[in-house]
Amino acid sequence: MSTSTLPVESTATTAIPDQPWQTVVWNDPVNLMSYVTYVFRSYFGYARERAEALMLAVHHDGHAVVAEGARETMERHVQAMHDFGLWATVRKAPQ
């Protein structure tokens, strides 16, 4: 009687990470540019130069992507921006 070994098929699957999401801050006629810079510095911890560059993008382009990552984190950022009085939304990052 002969015993043979059969290959075992793997049933493990590889998790594909969720597509990144973005927090987008939009321009509004209410908040001062200095305040928007302050929010980016105080909440996100950005250096003055980075915060000012993002604020200028909001001002000149109408919006700026201020963070990218997991959806839940981006939703928390949007809520924080709303708490600061800024208009922000979540969107999927382009591929």
Side-chain angles (χ1 to χ4, degrees), residues 39-91:
V39 171
F40 294 164
R41 292 192 72 203
S42 64
Y43 179 77
F44 293 107
Y46 291 143
R48 178 178 303 279
E49 296 78 21
R50 177 75 174 135
E52 287 177 352
L54 289 168
M55 174 275 297
L56 288 171
V58 169
H59 181 70
H60 293 297
D61 301 333
H63 69 284
V65 174
V66 297
E68 189 170 294
R71 182 176 182 164
E72 290 175 354
T73 302
M74 298 305 103
E75 289 173 351
R76 281 194 301 274
H77 291 334
V78 165
Q79 183 58 53
M81 295 300 98
H82 292 173
D83 292 345
F84 279 103
L86 302 182
W87 179 27
T89 57
V90 174
R91 72 178 182 195

